[in-house]
Amino acid sequence: QVQLVESGGGLVQAGGSLRLSCAASTRRFTVMGWYRQAPGKQRELVAAIAVIGGPKYADSVKGRFTISRDNAKNAVYLQMNSLQPEDTAVYYCNVNGEKTGYWGQGTQVTVTS
């Protein structure tokens, strides 16, 4: 079974930073990314990165978040800067896309005013 282990969430004041990490059990995934789901809202793509094609970001996080991957560690990261209360959500690591991929258990990010 594919296993994705997430870490790095927490409580932070507006303007602060967090770095999310996700370690995958295999290196067979071309696309890795992060989704988030806030209370009362649908899950949305935050950022994704592939071997070829470069990173992609939701408009709401461009310029603030940076996604990266370390293939040697089977890991994907999300550096989140200038966090705002609207970024509060459960963040989920994903590999191989939303429809057919696999998910981490989620890590809570809470940003206070």
Side-chain angles (χ1 to χ4, degrees):
Q1 184 178 1
V2 174
Q3 184 176 0
L4 304 176
V5 180
E6 300 159 315
S7 63
L11 181 68
V12 66
Q13 190 175 357
S17 299
L18 288 171
R19 186 172 186 258
L20 305 184
S21 300
C22 174
S25 60
T26 75
R27 302 181 64 181
R28 301 181 186 274
F29 307 112
T30 300
V31 179
M32 309 182 76
W34 292 92
Y35 288 74
R36 68 185 181 187
Q37 187 166 24
K41 294 185 177 181
Q42 291 187 324
R43 184 176 59 201
E44 64 174 340
L45 176 66
V46 178
I49 187 168
V51 177
I52 300 175
K56 297 178 174 60
Y57 300 95
D59 289 340
S60 60
V61 307
K62 286 181 179 178
R64 299 189 298 119
F65 291 10
T66 302
I67 188 170
S68 61
R69 63 190 295 171
D70 186 340
N71 291 326
K73 297 181 179 179
N74 301 333
V76 61
Y77 308 95
L78 187 68
Q79 178 66 46
M80 304 185 293
N81 298 328
S82 301
L83 283 162
Q84 301 299 315
E86 53 264 36
D87 296 315
T88 295
V90 178
Y91 285 70
Y92 297 92
C93 181
N94 169 271
V95 296
N96 276 5
E98 184 175 18
K99 295 182 179 180
T100 60
Y102 300 90
W103 299 90
Q105 80 285 352
T107 183
Q108 177 69 47
V109 172
T110 302
V111 185
T112 61
S113 300

